[in-house]
Amino acid sequence: MHSPQFPAEPPSNDGVEHDFTAGDVPGLRSPASGADRAPLVFDVIIAGCGPTGAMLAAELRLHDVRVLVLEKETEPKSFVRIVGLHIRSLELMAMRGLLDRILEHGRQRPAGGFFAAIPKPAPKGLDSAHAYLLGIPQPVIEHLLEEHAIELGAQVRRGCAVAGFEQDDEGVTVELAGGEQLRSRYLIGCDGGRSTVRKLLGVGFPGEPSRTETLMGEMEVGVPQEEITAKVTEIHETHQPFWLRPFGEGVYSVVVPAAGVSDRAEPPTLEDFKQRLRTIAGTDFGVHSPRWLSRFGDATRLAERYRVGRVLLAGDAAHIHPPIGGQGLNLGVQDAFNLGWKLAAQIRGWAPETLLDTYQAERHPVAEDVLDNTRAQMELLSTEPGPRAVRRLLTELMDFDEVNRHLIEKITAIGIRYDFGAGPDLLGRRLRDIDVKQGHLYGLLHRGRGLLLDRTERLTVGGWSDRVDYLADPTAVLDVPCVLLRPDGHVAWIGDDQQDLDDHLSRWFGKPAD
Ligand SMILES: Cc1cc2nc3c(=O)[nH]c(=O)nc-3n(C[C@H](O)[C@H](O)[C@H](O)COP(=O)(O)OP(=O)(O)OC[C@H]3O[C@@H](n4cnc5c(N)ncnc54)[C@H](O)[C@@H]3O)c2cc1C
């Protein structure tokens, strides 16, 4: 892999956007003197090359934004945790032409059975061309997203931890752990749940601390499979989060409740696993030769703000919650998808005044909802009689298609509707990958631009054609005359009137070109 070099001076978009002054933002230092500052070599520095940071870098590069990703680890993560990509994330991958590449590395599974692990099949006719779950190792998805970002021209520097920053009215000076200073217009903290950027920003992270902790790892075992199966079945009757599953090549994936909650950031030892297995199963199954060992808790927290001036947060840096339902990575990648085009518009100079702030307005409530559904799911996993009774009742209720559908649409994020004001139900929702005369709709969104899909063949995107594509297609399978899609695939306008369309093009895409 190579990283292209950017010129040392900012390009001609310099000075196109000045949306606030130091005095407007709490905690923002005034610039000492413009002459003392290093040149703005980058438009955006992203702290953290996890899935959120890599996705954001790629989205920004679609708009020629100069991006540097700083990653504190020298090597990509090696431990193989299988994560699930849910429907909306798969749709995003299709919208950027990445889906085929990703499908090669994952296993498709039915989309149902994810709410509190209640084993119900997905409702029929889910409104998506990609109505399945893709199980894929997290390092693989991270690698593919990083590769995509680099192919598009992002620079990724590994072994560089962001240790400090200072923002002023023109940009952010970012300091690395070794003391090196870099300068950019914006800094985005995609640096995970223990985010340095969030802490330095002084943004509150209220919520609940971990109440339980779980050990998770991969290792070999010293007993036959039949013995394992019998024990696991017996323990599952106690409803404890416990599994020992073959993972291939003699390796088993082991999940076992920890003895308590620890403050330690370092991973558990094989001996910790053996002790917990003996306590819960009465045997340690002769486990040996661990590949990796890890622990995770059920802390649930949400950043109070996603933006302070020129510094923004996304992914786990902005929200953490237990992994039940497999939503964290999906949520982070979707944050990046929402933020990318807006930040690019700000930097390119065509963003309407409030566009960047719609990132928090839209994504904070989505995260609040995910946190709440994980809280509910954790209660439903409790072994106490009350929650077990509620679980039985919900299991019955999920036989009603609408209940099942509502929960699946929540977990898979296809039920999201942003508040764009009054209008038909489709307004603010994402549009599914419908057939159009040129193939699939999502195939037309690879460049991360807006799209007017016009069944009347009468409208035009006029002065916005540098930001918004136009497709006249009377045969498109839609029950409305025209839709305006944002670059993230959400429906920003529905109608057939040119003046009304122009008003909405201005609202989302700024002033028309001369
Ligand atoms: C057991 C388990 C199972 C899970 N299963 C699923 C699932 O099925 N589906 C799902 O969607 N999610 C799942 N998740 C959650 C998912 O792993 C996270 O939500 C996801 O990794 C968040 O991505 P991120 O890029 O926001 O943060 P991270 O993946 O944490 O990446 C942050 C990056 O920032 C780097 N970094 C940190 N500090 C600095 C710094 N100061 N400077 C520079 N770089 C820095 C880190 O090294 C890291 O590479 C699971 C989590 C666990 C624990």
Side-chain angles (χ1 to χ4, degrees):
M1 282 188 224
H2 73 288
S3 298
Q5 296 300 310
F6 292 119
E9 292 297 323
S12 56
N13 66 347
D14 200 15
V16 286
E17 47 84 38
H18 291 287
D19 58 334
F20 68 94
T21 62
D24 298 335
V25 181
L28 183 66
R29 299 221 195 150
S30 292
S33 140
D36 294 343
R37 285 185 232 122
L40 287 158
V41 178
F42 300 100
D43 295 316
V44 179
I45 290 179
I46 297 173
C49 196
T52 306
M55 186 81 224
L56 180 60
E59 286 298 293
L60 290 167
R61 283 303 302 154
L62 287 176
H63 304 276
D64 247 3
V65 169
R66 296 165 307 162
V67 186
L68 172 67
V69 188
L70 298 170
E71 167 54 54
K72 80 172 172 171
E73 300 297 336
T74 48
E75 298 294 329
K77 289 183 197 88
S78 58
F79 63 82
V80 180
R81 176 202 296 152
I82 303 286
V83 294
L85 282 188
H86 286 299
I87 299 172
R88 185 58 185 148
S89 299
L90 296 168
E91 291 183 342
L92 303 192
M93 300 304 156
M95 284 166 58
R96 295 298 182 256
L98 283 171
L99 188 59
D100 289 343
R101 217 194 274 191
I102 283 170
L103 287 180
E104 274 175 33
H105 298 274
R107 277 236 311 260
Q108 291 182 33
R109 296 174 49 196
F114 284 94
F115 193 84
I118 294 174
K120 294 282 178 191
K124 289 205 176 65
L126 275 175
D127 179 35
S128 176
H130 309 283
Y132 48 86
L133 174 106
L134 190 78
I136 186 165
Q138 180 153 344
V140 173
I141 187 76
E142 288 185 10
H143 169 74
L144 293 173
L145 291 176
E146 182 180 340
E147 185 179 68
H148 174 57
I150 290 172
E151 279 169 9
L152 289 171
Q155 276 196 52
V156 178
R157 277 176 64 182
R158 290 195 162 270
C160 296
V162 170
F165 61 83
E166 201 169 294
Q167 56 172 322
D168 52 64
D169 59 354
E170 285 174 8
V172 188
T173 304
V174 176
E175 184 162 324
L176 304 189
E180 186 186 349
Q181 292 197 341
L182 297 161
R183 193 133 163 93
S184 63
R185 292 173 196 281
Y186 287 88
L187 167 67
I188 317 298
C190 298
D191 49 346
R194 295 171 196 266
S195 170
T196 302
V197 174
R198 187 192 63 238
K199 287 176 193 157
L200 291 173
L201 210 48
V203 167
F205 203 36
E208 303 92 63
S210 277
R211 291 174 304 170
T212 62
E213 212 167 70
T214 306
L215 307 183
M216 184 178 194
E218 283 170 23
M219 57 204 80
E220 294 179 37
V221 299
V223 298
Q225 178 62 47
E226 308 78 67
E227 200 176 310
I228 296 171
T229 309
K231 265 291 174 210
V232 170
T233 311
E234 186 187 315
I235 295 163
H236 276 176
E237 280 165 20
T238 67
H239 295 273
Q240 301 206 53
F242 179 91
W243 82 59
L244 223 122
R245 286 184 193 148
F247 194 71
E249 296 174 3
V251 177
Y252 279 67
S253 171
V254 179
V255 171
V256 58
V261 177
S262 79
D263 289 336
R264 289 177 300 154
E266 70 264 25
T269 62
L270 183 64
E271 191 48 40
D272 292 334
F273 275 79
K274 285 184 173 177
Q275 276 178 14
R276 293 306 296 155
L277 287 169
R278 279 187 224 118
T279 305
I280 286 165
T283 165
D284 63 17
F285 300 96
V287 291
H288 63 95
S289 310
R291 302 296 191 268
W292 58 267
L293 305 171
S294 173
R295 65 159 66 82
F296 62 91
D298 63 348
T300 306
R301 296 183 180 279
L302 178 59
E304 272 169 348
R305 301 174 67 177
Y306 280 14
R307 178 184 182 196
V308 179
R310 292 179 174 273
V311 184
L312 293 97
L313 301 170
D316 275 17
H319 36 68
I320 54 167
H321 54 82
I324 182 87
Q327 299 166 91
L329 185 151
N330 289 268
L331 185 60
V333 163
Q334 290 161 28
D335 283 348
F337 216 73
N338 185 286
L339 175 59
W341 70 278
K342 295 174 182 173
L343 185 55
Q346 182 81 11
I347 288 162
R348 303 313 307 175
W350 56 259
E353 207 181 312
T354 54
L355 183 68
L356 192 52
D357 285 326
T358 65
Y359 165 60
Q360 160 157 338
E362 291 170 8
R363 296 305 297 172
H364 198 270
V366 168
E368 253 172 342
D369 194 56
V370 170
L371 263 57
D372 259 2
N373 87 47
T374 56
R375 285 185 180 106
Q377 292 185 73
M378 290 305 283
E379 287 300 314
L380 291 165
L381 291 183
S382 161
T383 54
E384 294 294 319
R388 287 185 66 185
V390 177
R391 186 183 175 90
R392 284 193 291 274
L393 189 62
L394 186 65
T395 306
E396 281 172 35
L397 288 174
M398 284 176 73
D399 284 336
F400 291 98
D401 193 67
E402 274 197 38
V403 175
N404 194 15
R405 182 178 300 276
H406 180 75
L407 296 175
I408 292 289
E409 288 183 354
K410 212 180 242 310
I411 296 273
T412 60
I414 58 172
I416 290 172
R417 181 175 189 232
Y418 297 139
D419 182 5
F420 293 171
D425 184 61
L426 186 59
L427 185 68
R429 294 188 185 277
R430 102 297 179 225
L431 187 59
R432 60 172 285 150
D433 192 6
I434 59 172
D435 289 341
V436 290
K437 66 180 180 191
Q438 291 173 353
H440 298 291
L441 176 71
Y442 288 4
L444 306 179
L445 300 175
H446 289 188
R447 292 196 296 162
R449 293 156 53 90
L451 176 75
L452 178 69
L453 176 49
D454 179 7
R455 292 178 63 232
T456 70
E457 301 181 285
R458 284 191 290 104
L459 301 182
T460 165
V461 293
W464 289 272
S465 61
D466 58 339
R467 287 151 256 172
V468 181
D469 292 325
Y470 174 76
L471 177 69
D473 183 359
T475 65
V477 189
L478 265 183
D479 51 12
V480 291
C482 305
V483 287
L484 175 65
L485 295 181
R486 305 193 316 186
D488 61 355
H490 279 260
V491 176
W493 173 78
I494 298 169
D496 58 4
D497 176 70
Q498 184 67 52
Q499 183 55 54
D500 195 30
L501 169 63
D502 288 352
D503 292 345
H504 284 81
L505 283 163
S506 296
R507 172 180 172 188
W508 293 108
F509 297 97
K511 294 194 181 81
D514 296 333

